[in-house]
C-alpha cells in the first residue's frame, strides 16, 4: 500500500489533516502518530478488524494485547466495567502522561484489543499531536509502539518510516518523542497493584499514592524465569542485531570491565553505550555512543532506543552498555537494557 506522510510543524495540525486522520480511523485504516513516549501505530479500538491489521503490520504475536489511548476521562465508561477510586486518583495525578492502567474491561472492547483477556490497558497521552488526534476522532485508539515486532520502539520519524512505510495508511511526522521509553504499565486488578512494565512514571512517584505497590520481578531480574505478568514482557524485545551485554555497579569498575572486554574481543566491531561521565574513558571500541548525563536520566531514556538502532545501522558485532541504578527512571532504562541484552546483565561490579 502507499503510505501517506503528514508532516506536522510546531505540533499544530490543520483541520484538513485532522479530517484525513479521523476519516482514516473511521474507515478502519492504520495511522501512526507521535506520543510523548514513543510513536504509536493506531487503529479504531472499537473496530476488531482494524485492530487485527495492527498485528499484521507489526508482525506482532496475537496474544500480546494493545493499549487503548483516550483524550477524555468520560471515555472510560465505555471501556471498563468499573473505574475504581484508586484509578481515578492515578488519572488525576498522571494523566495526560506516560501511565497505562490495567482495569476490568467492558464488553464493548473487542478481543482483538485485549487478546481475549478480561482486562484492558488504557492511557491518556500528553503529546499535543496525539491529544489533538484523539480529541478530534473521539474514538479510543488502540496503539502499540510503531516498530516491527522485536525492534526497538521508534522515537524518531525516520525509524517509523524504515519499519512501517508501505504497511500503514498514514504516518504523522511529529519530530522526536520526549521520554523515549514507553509508558509505565500498572495492573490495578490485583492486590496490591503491580507495575508490569516500568516506564515514564517512576516507581517512587507511584509509591507516593500506592505505598504498597509492587514491581513484577521478572521485568528487572533476568534470572527470574517465572512468566512475566504482562504478555509483552515475555517476548524478545528492543533487540538490536548485535549481541548486547550490560554492566552495572560502581562506575569505575564498569568502565574497567568494559575496557577489559574490548581488549578480549579485539578485531570485533564493538559499540559502547556510555554517558557524559565516561565517554572519554573507552579505548579500542569502534564507536562510543553517549547516552547523556547520569544526572539527567530523561536524556538517557530519550537517547537509548535511537542508540540501539544506530548500532544496527553501523552493523556492529557487539554492544557493551553501562548499567544504571534501579531507581527513578533508571528502573525503566534497566528493564529495556535487560531486554536488549537478552538477560546478559552483570550486576554488582
Ligand atoms: O508508551 C506506550 O505505552 C506506547 C505508546 C504508543 O503509547 N505503547 C506501547 O504499546 O508501548 P506496546 O503494545 O508496545 O506495549 C503494551 C504493553 C505490552 O507489554 C502488553 O503486553 C501490555 O502493555 N498490556 C496491554 N494490555 C494488557 C493487559 N490487559 N494486561 C497486561 N498487560 C497488558
Ligand atoms: Mg512495543
Amino acid at each position: 500500500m502507499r503510505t501517506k506522510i503528514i508532516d506536522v510543524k510546531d505540533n499544530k495540525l490543520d483541520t484538513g489533516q485532522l479530517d484525513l486522520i479521523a476519516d482514516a480511523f473511521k474507515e478502519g485504516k492504520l495511522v501512526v502518530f507521535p506520543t510523548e513516549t514513543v510513536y504509536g501505530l493506531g487503529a479504531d479500538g472499537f473496530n476488531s478488524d482494524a485492530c487485527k491489521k495492527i498485528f499484521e503490520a507489526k508482525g506482532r504475536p496475537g496474544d500480546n494485547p494493545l493499549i487503548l489511548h483516550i483524550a477524555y476521562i468520560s471515555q472510560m465508561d465505555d471501556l471498563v466495567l468499573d473505574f475504581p477510586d484508586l484509578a481515578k486518583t492515578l488519572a488525576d495525578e498522571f494523566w495526560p502522561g506516560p501511565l497505562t492502567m490495567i482495569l476490568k474491561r467492558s464488553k464493548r472492547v473487542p478481543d482483538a484489543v485485549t487478546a481475549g483477556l478480561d482486562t484492558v490497558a488504557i492511557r491518556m497521552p500528553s503529546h499535543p499531536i496525539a491529544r489533538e488526534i484523539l480529541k478530534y476522532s473521539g474514538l479510543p485508539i488502540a496503539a502499540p509502539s510503531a516498530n516491527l515486532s522485536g525492534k526497538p520502539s521508534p522515537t524518531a520519524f525516520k525509524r517509523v518510516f524504515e519499519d512501517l512505510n508501505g504497511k500503514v495508511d498514514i504516518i504523522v511526522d511529529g519530530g522526536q518523542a520526549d521520554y523515549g521509553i514507553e509508558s509505565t504499565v500498572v495492573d490495578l486488578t490485583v492486590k496490591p497493584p503491580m507495575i508490569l512494565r516500568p516506564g515514564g512514571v517512576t516507581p517512587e512517584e507511584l509509591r507516593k499514592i500506592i505505598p504498597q505497590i509492587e514491581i513484577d520481578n521478572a521485568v528487572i531480574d533476568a534470572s527470574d524465569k517465572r512468566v512475566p505478568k504482562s504478555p509483552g514482557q515475555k517476548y524478545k524485545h528492543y533487540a538490536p542485531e548485535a549481541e548486547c551485554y550490560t554492566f552495572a555497579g560502581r562506575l569505575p569498575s564498569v568502565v574497567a570491565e568494559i575496557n577489559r572486554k574490548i581488549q578480549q574481543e579485539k578485531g570485533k566491531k564493538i559499540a559502547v553505550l556510555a554517558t557524559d561521565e565516561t565517554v572519554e574513558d573507552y579505548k579500542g571500541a569502534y564507536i562510543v555512543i553517549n547516552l547523556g548525563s547520569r544526572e539527567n536520566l530523561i536524556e538517557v531514556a530519550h537517547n537509548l532506543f535511537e542508540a540501539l538502532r544506530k548500532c544496527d545501522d553501523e552493523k556492529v558485532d557487539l554492544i557493551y552498555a553501562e548499567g544504571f541504578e534501579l531507581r527513578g527512571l533508571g528502573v525503566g532504562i534497566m528493564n529495556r537494557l535487560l531486554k536488549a541484552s537478552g538477560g546478559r546483565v552483570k550486576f554488582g561490579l
Side-chain angles (χ1 to χ4, degrees), residues 85-141:
D85 287 342
L86 184 56
K88 285 184 182 138
T89 308
L90 290 180
D92 277 347
E93 191 69 27
F94 298 109
W95 280 359
L99 178 74
T100 296
M101 292 196 245
I102 310 278
L103 293 163
K104 291 273 177 217
R105 79 191 258 202
S106 88
K107 291 265 181 306
R108 268 198 83 181
V109 179
D111 280 342
V113 169
T114 66
L117 298 175
D118 60 0
T119 55
V120 59
I122 305 172
R123 95 172 183 98
M124 186 189 286
S126 63
H127 193 292
I129 296 178
R131 272 186 79 68
E132 256 192 287
I133 290 175
L134 292 167
K135 281 183 181 170
Y136 203 83
S137 78
L139 293 165
I141 298 297

Side-chain angles (χ1 to χ4, degrees), residues 84-279:
D85 287 342
L86 184 56
K88 285 184 182 138
T89 308
L90 290 180
D92 277 347
E93 191 69 27
F94 298 109
W95 280 359
L99 178 74
T100 296
M101 292 196 245
I102 310 278
L103 293 163
K104 291 273 177 217
R105 79 191 258 202
S106 88
K107 291 265 181 306
R108 268 198 83 181
V109 179
D111 280 342
V113 169
T114 66
L117 298 175
D118 60 0
T119 55
V120 59
I122 305 172
R123 95 172 183 98
M124 186 189 286
S126 63
H127 193 292
I129 296 178
R131 272 186 79 68
E132 256 192 287
I133 290 175
L134 292 167
K135 281 183 181 170
Y136 203 83
S137 78
L139 293 165
I141 298 297
S145 48
N147 50 286
L148 291 178
S149 221
K151 290 264 182 199
S153 296
T155 49
F157 165 75
K158 175 175 171 233
R159 302 308 186 180
V160 174
F161 190 81
E162 279 171 13
D163 277 13
L164 294 176
N165 184 39
K167 296 195 165 82
V168 298
D169 298 279
I170 297 176
I171 301 176
V172 180
D173 176 0
Q176 286 280 333
D178 304 325
Y179 282 87
I181 61 173
E182 303 89 340
S183 62
T184 302
V185 178
V186 175
D187 188 350
L188 293 171
T189 67
V190 293
K191 281 204 172 86
M194 184 175 275
I195 298 173
L196 303 186
R197 179 178 73 181
V201 172
T202 65
E204 290 83 348
E205 286 175 295
L206 287 165
R207 237 170 251 134
K208 281 191 197 143
I209 294 171
I210 317 175
Q212 72 280 23
I213 198 165
E214 290 183 354
I215 304 184
D216 183 6
N217 196 45
V219 306
I220 37 171
D221 180 358
S223 64
D224 192 329
K225 296 292 179 239
R226 282 171 291 181
V227 176
K229 300 195 172 51
S230 179
Q233 290 278 332
K234 72 175 184 248
Y235 294 107
K236 188 171 167 226
H237 240 218
Y238 323 114
E241 307 286 340
E243 211 162 278
C244 180
Y245 295 80
T246 299
F247 300 91
R250 285 180 50 253
L251 204 48
S253 312
V254 167
V255 171
E257 179 69 3
I258 292 180
N259 272 322
R260 198 179 65 74
K261 298 289 287 183
I262 295 172
Q263 285 312 312
Q264 234 177 38
E265 299 289 347
K266 246 191 182 139
K268 294 220 173 112
K269 222 170 157 179
I270 297 172
V272 176
L273 305 191
T275 44
D276 276 0
E277 289 79 358
T278 58
V279 70

Side-chain angles (χ1 to χ4, degrees), residues 37-53:
T37 56
V38 300
Y39 273 78
L41 163 48
D44 174 0
F46 284 141
N47 181 336
S48 185
D49 290 335
C51 290
K52 284 181 189 152
K53 286 199 233 161

